[in-house]
Amino acid sequence: HNSTMADDETHYLDAFLEERLPALGLDFETYGAYVTGLVTAMDEDDDDEADWEGILELLQASSETHSDDEEAWIALKEEILKLQAEQQEATKQKEDALKQERQHNEQERLQQDIALAKKAAEDAIENSLKTKEVDEAKRELVARYAYDESESYDRDGNLVASAGEGQVMTNKDVAAQVNSEKSKEMRQKTGGGKKAEQEKTAKSREDKKLQKEERRNRATKGERHR
């Protein structure tokens, strides 16, 4: 566990040992590293009971004041193990909190990915329906305005004007054809367009000519009667 060591290799037991070892007749600078080294090894591997005995014997033999006090060293070991357990619990809680935060973030990302995937699928369906509508409209126009039966569609859904010519009829072409047909219909509805208008004008001229002729004839008869 990296969490057992703080910045600049300061151990979580340093503050305790700086106070406790001198009280037991030992120099912290000399003997502190033995204890922290052992505890660090224990944090990584709990099977270090034999090493504890060796360290305690060394500390007791080196003590200037408590070399004959067995109880003091047993108490030191218990205090160190208690601090170690507290540190491990604090580290575990911190790691659990980080793990939960990571899981929460991953869950949020997953939800976002699901939402994006769902949106993309909906868009794809919508686009597909639009394309289908356009294709159906084109086919309806083809059926309505009776194009050559040999017509077919290319991969993009564009109408190929004739199998022989191989020309592509785009939406624009279809629209132009529809407009042309509508104009033709309109001309027929309004009396055949210019031709009908010309015929009407010609008939009107003929009628006027006949009326004029009749008036002249009547005038001539009037002259004779006098």
Side-chain angles (χ1 to χ4, degrees):
H1 297 289
N2 293 332
S3 53
T4 56
M5 297 296 285
D7 294 337
D8 301 324
E9 298 189 9
T10 300
H11 198 275
Y12 64 85
L13 287 174
D14 282 352
F16 166 76
L17 293 173
E18 273 184 294
E19 190 181 321
R20 201 77 183 79
L21 290 182
L24 289 169
L26 292 169
D27 175 43
F28 167 72
E29 295 294 337
T30 307
Y31 296 99
Y34 286 102
V35 180
T36 55
L38 171 64
V39 173
T40 299
M42 282 181 69
D43 284 336
E44 292 168 4
D45 178 11
D46 293 335
D47 190 23
D48 280 292
E49 194 57 42
D51 291 337
W52 258 120
E53 287 181 23
I55 291 290
L56 288 175
E57 282 176 14
L58 171 66
L59 297 178
Q60 186 176 345
S62 305
S63 174
E64 296 172 3
T65 55
H66 294 71
S67 56
D68 298 325
D69 189 352
E70 291 282 341
E71 294 298 320
W73 304 104
I74 292 169
L76 175 67
K77 179 186 175 184
E78 285 175 358
E79 285 178 274
I80 289 169
L81 290 176
K82 185 186 173 190
L83 289 169
Q84 183 189 32
E86 287 172 1
Q87 177 67 24
Q88 286 175 337
E89 181 59 29
T91 300
K92 184 177 181 297
Q93 286 180 2
K94 191 177 178 182
E95 286 175 350
D96 286 349
L98 285 170
K99 188 179 178 184
Q100 282 184 348
E101 190 181 345
R102 275 199 301 271
Q103 285 176 342
H104 176 71
N105 291 340
E106 282 171 13
Q107 192 67 28
E108 275 194 342
R109 276 198 298 271
L110 183 62
Q111 291 296 334
Q112 287 172 355
D113 289 346
I114 289 169
L116 287 171
K118 192 176 176 184
K119 178 81 168 63
E122 286 171 357
D123 288 348
I125 290 167
E126 193 178 334
N127 290 335
S128 174
L129 288 171
K130 281 180 183 173
T131 304
K132 192 179 175 187
E133 282 171 15
V134 170
D135 288 346
E136 283 174 359
K138 278 188 181 182
R139 283 171 175 77
E140 194 180 322
L141 287 171
V142 171
R144 188 173 169 190
Y145 295 105
Y147 291 119
D148 189 336
E149 286 179 3
S150 65
E151 287 159 355
S152 59
Y153 294 86
D154 66 11
R155 286 182 184 178
D156 297 324
N158 286 319
L159 181 66
V160 176
S162 161
E165 293 169 18
Q167 294 173 337
V168 174
M169 180 170 275
T170 63
N171 291 355
K172 195 174 173 185
D173 297 330
V174 174
Q177 183 69 29
V178 173
N179 288 335
S180 171
E181 294 290 336
K182 281 184 179 175
S183 297
K184 198 172 177 184
E185 278 180 32
M186 198 67 76
R187 283 199 303 275
Q188 286 169 354
K189 281 178 186 173
T190 55
K194 285 182 180 177
K195 191 176 179 186
E197 200 65 44
Q198 284 167 356
E199 285 173 6
K200 196 175 173 185
T201 305
K203 190 174 184 300
S204 178
R205 278 181 192 152
E206 194 65 34
D207 288 345
K208 282 178 183 175
K209 192 176 177 185
L210 285 168
Q211 285 170 7
K212 197 174 178 183
E213 198 69 42
E214 277 177 26
R215 281 199 303 273
R216 189 181 295 138
N217 289 338
R218 279 201 302 271
T220 308
K221 283 176 184 175
E223 286 289 329
R224 286 175 187 164
H225 284 302
R226 281 179 199 175

